[in-house]
Amino acid sequence: MIALGPLFQEINLQHFDGCLDPPQMVWNSRLRSSAGRFIPGSLRFFRAKPPVIEIASYLREEGEAAALIRDTLAHEMIHYWLWVRRQPYGHTDAFYRKMREMGVSRYNPVPRLPAPKYLYRCPVCLKDFPARRKLGVLACLECCRNQANGKFDHRFKLELIQQLR
Ligand SMILES: [Zn+2]
Ligand SMILES: [Zn+2]
């Protein structure tokens, strides 16, 4: 099995002057809509969580798995690098500039599911809400039900945490 840690350090040295701290890296067997994703961390005191790069497990079964995994990790590392630098970390001009500079090709897997475009998250129970379109002001139904007598409560307002490719 390909270890993500050493691969991260290799790409880190090659393209980021070794200046990136490794985020949490996980294989995600449920990730089917994309090859990988970057989930920003949080520095909030009570809910500090590390940034995460997820790589879809199914890549390991594709032909040329090593190259696909490398490209996918490199791609997610650009998101992470922008985020570390406190820049918008979506597919911005800066993103594509870095991508060209690195010579990373984009692996576009055939989506196994209709791909959600936005990822929202309840800040309290951390449940994910993938969405095909941008949502208005919505709160986590379950948290409102359990902790606010079913009424809308700003504490449970869904946060847009990532715009997916
Ligand atoms: Zn919730
Ligand atoms: Zn991306």
Side-chain angles (χ1 to χ4, degrees):
M1 192 203 280
I2 292 170
L4 295 174
L7 188 55
F8 177 95
Q9 284 308 353
E10 194 187 309
I11 299 169
N12 190 16
L13 288 172
Q14 203 176 345
H15 297 290
F16 299 94
D17 300 322
C19 71
L20 290 174
D21 285 330
Q24 201 173 303
M25 284 173 277
V26 293
W27 293 102
N28 184 339
S29 58
R30 286 164 308 155
L31 188 58
R32 305 234 167 248
S33 54
S34 64
R37 66 176 173 171
F38 165 65
I39 303 165
S42 165
L43 301 174
R44 276 186 295 171
F45 185 68
F46 285 108
R47 235 182 293 285
K49 56 187 165 76
V52 181
I53 287 178
E54 296 185 345
I55 305 294
S57 303
Y58 74 81
L59 291 185
R60 294 187 299 217
E61 281 118 53
E62 308 277 316
E64 313 211 17
L68 292 181
I69 290 163
R70 190 193 172 82
D71 264 16
T72 302
L73 181 58
H75 177 103
E76 303 310 326
M77 282 173 71
I78 303 175
H79 288 303
Y80 174 54
W81 172 73
L82 289 169
W83 179 77
V84 166
R85 290 160 38 124
R86 294 171 184 270
Q87 293 177 12
Y89 53 86
H91 296 136
T92 58
D93 287 349
F95 181 96
Y96 285 113
R97 216 174 304 128
K98 184 69 177 173
M99 195 169 109
R100 278 193 299 275
E101 196 185 297
M102 289 166 65
V104 176
S105 59
R106 260 293 290 116
Y107 170 54
N108 281 304
V110 178
R112 313 287 164 110
L113 292 170
K117 223 178 149 217
Y118 301 98
L119 187 61
Y120 289 82
R121 180 167 293 170
C122 170
V124 176
C125 70
L126 304 183
K127 189 177 164 192
D128 281 349
F129 296 82
R132 306 290 309 272
R133 60 188 67 202
K134 243 188 170 138
L135 303 176
V137 178
L138 281 183
C140 173
L141 194 61
E142 222 169 284
C143 285
C144 290
R145 210 177 262 156
N146 296 337
Q147 298 179 56
N149 297 321
K151 285 198 210 100
F152 177 89
D153 191 306
H154 279 280
R155 283 177 297 160
F156 313 122
K157 214 170 85 183
L158 300 188
E159 294 174 343
L160 178 60
I161 59 160
Q162 198 190 8
Q163 186 158 345
L164 306 161
R165 51 178 157 243

